Amino acid sequence: MFDLISRYDDQILDAFWVTIQLTVLSAVGALILGTIVAALRVSPVPIARAVGTAYVTIFRNTPLTLIILFMSLGLYTTMGWHLAGEGPDSVAQNNFRYAIVGFSIYTGAFVCESLRSGINTVAMGQSEAGRSLGLTFTQNLRLIVLPQAFRSVIAPLGSVLIALTKNTTIASAIGVVEAAFLMAEINENEADVIVVGAIFALGFVILTLPTGLLFGWLAKRFEVAR
């Protein structure tokens, strides 16, 4: 194991760095998108609720692999929608960015449902008090409901983030050189398949275990008193 690590150390670090970038950037996108969709789902406007429900239903039930392949082969290759400029690295850059878009769209549906469950835990009296003060729906949501909702779903959001970290391996399907892509390359050159798998499994444990511990601590630290 240590011999393999010493031979591929730079490549392994670079691959996991790409995995971290995919995770962080996709998590930011999913959090923003999921919050917007959650607001639509609890909106008093029927059309907005229908749009939010349709989004969650479609993307929660669509395989992530199909979404990622559609982003690369559909939007980029077939339709020619570029997210990066022309150049020798344009294909890799476009696939990387489309992977982030795909992960954000898919994970946003799960963030939405986690956040909506948190919104449902906020007492109705809180919202009614906000309305009695003259707050609009948006102000009520932003100032009163969402801060409490986020505090009550820290642990579920941590689970979503861990799932996203592991889901980034699907980016290898469109040639993004992250951990799973490198593992497949090493397996083609090395006979120790089990050792190679153990190295990359350990790498993902190192990434996800601290995340779980951190979100568990945050959940206890900011737990909403009932």
Side-chain angles (χ1 to χ4, degrees), residues 39-168:
L40 292 177
R41 294 212 65 184
V42 298
S43 169
V45 181
I47 295 178
R49 291 200 303 273
V51 170
T53 301
Y55 177 94
V56 171
T57 302
I58 291 170
F59 289 108
R60 282 187 72 187
N61 294 286
T62 302
L64 179 56
T65 304
L66 291 182
I67 295 174
I68 298 300
L69 289 175
F70 174 76
M71 290 291 163
S72 178
L73 301 181
L75 298 184
Y76 175 48
T77 304
T78 304
M79 301 180 67
W81 293 7
H82 290 200
L83 296 181
E86 298 294 335
D89 298 327
S90 63
V91 174
Q93 291 176 357
N94 275 286
N95 282 335
F96 176 80
R97 294 179 184 183
Y98 268 120
I100 292 172
V101 173
F103 290 134
S104 298
I105 291 173
Y106 177 79
T107 309
F110 293 89
V111 171
C112 166
E113 289 302 274
S114 295
L115 192 53
R116 189 168 70 96
S117 68
I119 291 174
N120 290 335
T121 64
V122 179
M124 286 295 296
Q126 302 270 345
S127 299
E128 292 171 357
R131 286 194 295 270
S132 68
L133 293 173
L135 298 180
T136 64
F137 169 76
T138 304
Q139 291 173 327
N140 209 346
L141 198 65
R142 178 170 59 87
L143 299 175
I144 297 176
V145 178
L146 281 181
Q148 297 181 68
F150 272 111
R151 290 179 63 181
S152 63
V153 296
I154 291 175
L157 287 178
S159 298
V160 172
L161 179 58
I162 290 172
L164 171 60
T165 305
K166 293 182 287 186
N167 285 340
T168 57

